[in-house]
Amino acid sequence: MSVKARASILFLLLALCPLLRAEQFMQFGDLQVHYNVFNSTSISAEMAAQYGLTRGENIALVNVAGRRAQPDGTTTPVKLELDGTVANLLGQMRPLDFLLVEEPGAVYYILTTRFTDRETLRFRLTVTDTETGRAWPMEFQKELWAQ
C-alpha cells in the first residue's frame, strides 16, 4: 500500500473515530490548531504498525492539525512546527516528538505517549505557523482511561 493511501486511511480513521467528533481547537488569528488525545486502541493494530505507532490500553494517541480560515469560510491545511512536553499531575515531564503526515488536503501530526489508568496528562506546546513564522503557546489536558 502506498504512503499516500496509508495516510488517507489513517486520516479517515482519525476523522471517523467517535472520540474525535467534538471540535477541540484553539484560534490564533486566522490559524486554527485542532487537537485530540485518545486511547490508541481506537485505531487498528494494522494501522498502528503501518505508521510505527505503539498501541496499547495505556498508550494515548495525540493528533494535532493546523488549518487556516479563508474569507469564504473554508479552511486550508497549514504546516506547523511543534515543540512541547507532556506532564502528569506529579509534574513528571517528557518531550513530545510528532510524526508529520501529509496528504492532499490535510497536514497533521501524530504521536503516542504512555499514561496510567485515570491519569490526567497536561500538554504544553509551542506552535509555529511555518507560513508566517508566528509562534503561540498552547496548553490543554486530557484525562485518560485504560481500555
Side-chain angles (χ1 to χ4, degrees):
M1 181 180 290
S2 74
V3 172
K4 278 188 176 182
R6 285 183 287 176
S8 295
I9 291 168
L10 179 62
F11 183 75
L12 180 62
L13 286 174
L14 292 173
L16 294 177
C17 177
L19 299 173
L20 295 179
R21 297 227 173 155
E23 285 282 325
Q24 294 182 64
F25 69 92
M26 293 186 183
Q27 189 83 36
F28 305 104
D30 65 352
L31 178 67
Q32 298 173 354
V33 180
H34 296 257
Y35 62 93
N36 255 299
V37 181
F38 56 95
N39 194 295
S40 64
T41 58
S42 296
I43 65 168
S44 71
E46 184 177 80
M47 186 60 60
Q50 288 176 351
Y51 286 91
L53 300 172
T54 304
R55 183 177 173 271
E57 69 177 26
N58 65 336
I59 299 173
L61 181 62
V62 181
N63 180 28
V64 177
R67 308 283 302 176
R68 185 166 326 282
Q70 301 299 312
D72 66 0
T74 63
T75 61
T76 55
V78 175
K79 275 193 169 181
L80 305 171
E81 286 180 16
L82 300 173
D83 184 41
T85 59
V86 59
N88 62 18
L89 293 178
L90 297 175
Q92 298 166 318
M93 281 196 282
R94 296 183 305 269
L96 297 174
D97 186 21
F98 285 91
L99 169 68
L100 167 65
V101 179
E102 290 184 85
E103 63 178 78
V107 175
Y108 51 98
Y109 302 83
I110 55 176
L111 65 80
T112 56
T113 188
R114 293 192 176 277
F115 66 92
T116 57
D117 190 33
R118 298 181 185 180
E119 181 174 32
T120 299
L121 297 181
R122 294 180 185 169
F123 295 87
R124 291 187 176 160
L125 303 176
T126 299
V127 177
T128 303
D129 180 337
T130 61
E131 292 176 13
T132 66
R134 295 182 65 194
W136 297 272
M138 183 172 157
E139 294 184 18
F140 56 94
Q141 65 183 32
K142 175 72 175 185
E143 182 178 8
L144 294 154
W145 299 61
Q147 294 181 347

